[in-house]
Amino acid sequence: MSELNVDVYLPDDEYENPAMITDFYEFSMANCLFLDGKKDEIMVYNMFFRENPDKLGYSISCGQEKLAKFLLNYHFTERDLQWLRYKGMSEEFVNYLRDYKWKGDMYALKEGTVCYPHVPMVRIECDMVGAILIETYLLQTMNFNSLIATKATKISGLSRHHERNVMEFGARRAQGMSASIDGSYASILGGCMGTSNCLAEMKYGDEVRAMGTIAHSFVEFYPTELDAFRAYANVYPDNVSLLLDTYNIYESGLPNLIKLDDELIAKYPNDPNKRVKSARIDSGDLARGYKKLRKAFDQAGKHYIKLVASNALDEHKISDLEQYQDAHFDFYGVGENLITSATDPVFGGVYKLCAVKQADGSYLPKMKCSDSVSKAIIPGKLMAWRVFDEDGKGQCDIIAMDGEEFENGKPIEIINLDPDEFDPAKTITPYRLEKILIPYIVNGELVYNLPSIKEKKAYIKEQLEHRVWESELRRSCPHRHFVDMTPAVHQTRHRLYKKLNGGNL
């Protein structure tokens, strides 16, 4: 009997390499294409989505910087190669990956760009291996960050031009450590003022500022609630922010807080900074609590004490408090409904092969047809343009072939992507238009000056305030942003669908 040699792989639960956040079929396909002599084929993939979360009128594109840094540091270790060999990948393919570096092109929307269904968010052009194996990480990064940033613009009030002081409190309800950190980052871009997550500030700096005060357990630990309040104030006299609902908001929390503030005034009569800064309530009828506490503090001459609300809040509950119950808290702590985007927890971005580069430099369009017109992709190497009206607001997006050029004030033939449009073909004369897919990485090198978090946050705010039609920001029945194709794109899609599926779009 011949000896059986097995290359055993021993797992390591502390091992991490982002390049291995890959669905197994991606390796299976890449290995097959490699052995079939296709390793140098250049593929073009588009990442896009088909529907805004919560049926909103817009989304926020987020995650581009993290994706770019991933691609710039893309590599495989000996442990990765050992596992791939153990899983049946060919020795030739495994050896090829040993020195592999990502040398492709990444075009994308600027991080924070308001975006719409079917318009490419990211375009990847790369050799076969670098195009196929990054799919899962790309989608994970872009989908989650875009989902949370979009949700945050609703909760923070950016979408209503009514900004609120919102603190992201979701780390303990997030679906894992990476979700809590990425969620903190995306929440800040979407208008939040801070996060409860300490590691997020350590990673991103004080633009993602960690903040918070005490929990009920702190109060419970001391013999009395007042003892707990005094202990906290002794250590943090410049930042006294306390929780009132451990026992009874009105019979215990409120009088103890007023008493503590009076003690601080007596102890530090010439230092107005050493006062109670805020009081938080986390249970009960929040609207009633706001009104009673605000009245009590004002009657006691303590107008400076701010009120904070938490307890399973989201944009709908906060709006109800403010619009229908006249309860305008100074700050809101929002946890699980933000960090998980609980009302619509999936951003449905997809990553599809659209073209293969030919030896003569041209691009052969590729298409998944489907028997559903809505899922038939737009083939070809594409570029996205945005048309602005005379007020500077986005009028429509145009999906064009890369290389098509347009000018301000010159007529453009377009075809509406909506299959229900009665008369989809028309001619428009744009007041102003611009390419919105920009180069981040070219030939494996970073070519884009990555903006700061502060700049990205301001960019989102500026768009929602000045570059988006008001009708797109409605919570219910928002205007559907027009997304159009050029005749070249439409004809390519129509021709391929007819050829591949045997029908017509």
Side-chain angles (χ1 to χ4, degrees), residues 364-401:
L364 180 66
K366 296 290 183 178
M367 183 183 195
K368 170 197 170 184
C369 291
S370 177
D371 288 331
S372 170
V373 171
S374 65
K375 298 197 74 173
I377 71 164
I378 302 173
K381 183 178 179 181
L382 306 176
M383 174 53 66
W385 296 71
R386 182 154 296 165
V387 177
F388 297 91
D389 62 20
E390 294 184 6
D391 296 322
K393 298 183 184 295
Q395 180 180 1
C396 67
D397 284 8
I398 299 175
I399 302 172
M401 289 296 183

Side-chain angles (χ1 to χ4, degrees), residues 38-63:
K38 309 297 186 185
K39 73 177 179 66
D40 295 323
E41 294 282 348
I42 303 298
M43 297 178 168
V44 179
Y45 278 79
N46 281 335
M47 184 261 171
F48 62 94
F49 63 102
R50 295 188 174 98
E51 185 174 294
N52 293 312
D54 286 317
K55 301 190 184 302
L56 301 176
Y58 71 94
S59 294
I60 301 295
S61 178
C62 188

Side-chain angles (χ1 to χ4, degrees), residues 128-187:
M128 176 275 294
V129 166
I132 289 177
L133 295 184
I134 66 170
E135 176 179 2
T136 301
Y137 187 93
L138 182 152
L139 287 175
Q140 178 188 84
T141 299
M142 296 300 300
N143 280 333
F144 182 73
N145 281 272
S146 299
L147 179 72
I148 303 306
T150 303
K151 186 68 169 179
T153 63
K154 306 296 286 188
I155 293 175
S156 70
L158 281 187
S159 65
R160 297 178 59 243
H161 306 164
H162 175 71
E163 290 184 71
R164 308 180 179 106
N165 294 313
V166 175
M167 298 167 285
E168 182 275 307
F169 278 1
R172 63 190 59 194
R173 303 285 167 78
Q175 283 131 343
M177 185 177 79
S178 63
S180 73
I181 296 169
D182 286 353
S184 297
Y185 165 83
S187 296

Side-chain angles (χ1 to χ4, degrees), residues 217-238:
S217 59
F218 180 87
V219 177
E220 294 168 27
F221 176 80
Y222 285 88
T224 70
E225 186 177 54
L226 185 57
D227 288 332
F229 287 0
R230 284 170 173 161
Y232 195 85
N234 284 337
V235 176
Y236 306 108
D238 295 317

